[in-house]
Amino acid sequence: MAFVRCKGEGSKPNVPPQYEEHVFVVNIVDNPEKLKEYLTYHSHVWPEVEAGFKKAGYERIALYRFDKLIVMTVRVPVGANLDQMGKLAESYSPKCAEWNALMDAYQQGVSGTAAGQKWAATNLFYEFKHK
């Protein structure tokens, strides 16, 4: 059996989406039990939360830890509005807003953040790329 493709059909190049990465930091409150709870929650993230991330268009979210410092990398489409993405993710289910409120109780801003600010965006100041 032969397959025939009409001229122009499928002629658009298959261009992969372009992404950018953002990096944020936050501290966990100075309490070993709270840190343990926070890590336990993240070993079993609620399915509604991850479904909200998918709905909002996040490509990847990763958390790293050193002592009380949490580093979060977020991979999103180039030019994405992170505030809008966060609201869209949270709107997926009431469980998403519940998760965010729960996690907020464990977090505190790093040195230099404004009053009430928890997560702080970082600035890239060096990058090596092997081309």
Side-chain angles (χ1 to χ4, degrees):
M1 173 179 254
F3 291 95
V4 179
R5 179 178 289 183
C6 295
K7 191 171 188 156
E9 182 181 298
S11 62
K12 291 181 183 177
N14 190 5
V15 179
Q18 298 295 312
Y19 294 97
E20 60 189 6
E21 188 170 74
H22 300 269
V23 181
F24 301 89
V25 293
V26 73
N27 280 324
I28 300 303
V29 296
D30 194 12
N31 178 319
E33 280 304 308
K34 293 291 184 186
L35 175 60
K36 184 178 177 183
E37 289 172 16
Y38 188 79
L39 296 173
T40 298
Y41 274 115
H42 282 86
S43 68
H44 299 70
V45 175
W46 300 346
E48 298 88 350
V49 172
E50 291 186 340
F53 292 156
K54 289 178 188 175
K55 176 184 177 186
Y58 291 95
E59 171 68 15
R60 180 175 186 265
I61 298 174
L63 297 174
Y64 302 86
R65 177 178 80 90
F66 176 77
D67 193 28
K68 299 179 306 182
L69 179 68
I70 304 296
V71 177
M72 176 174 63
T73 62
V74 180
R75 187 171 159 90
V76 297
V78 170
N81 182 313
L82 295 177
D83 289 332
Q84 288 178 351
M85 289 180 76
K87 289 175 186 170
L88 183 58
E90 194 170 271
S91 74
Y92 176 78
S93 163
K95 296 287 283 183
C96 297
E98 182 183 341
W99 174 271
N100 286 341
L102 182 61
M103 294 305 108
D104 186 65
Y106 292 95
Q107 301 163 349
Q108 63 185 19
V110 296
S111 177
T113 54
Q117 178 185 0
K118 303 264 177 120
W119 287 96
T122 64
N123 296 309
L124 178 66
F125 65 93
Y126 171 79
E127 180 177 46
F128 168 80
K129 285 187 177 182
H130 180 76
K131 293 184 180 188

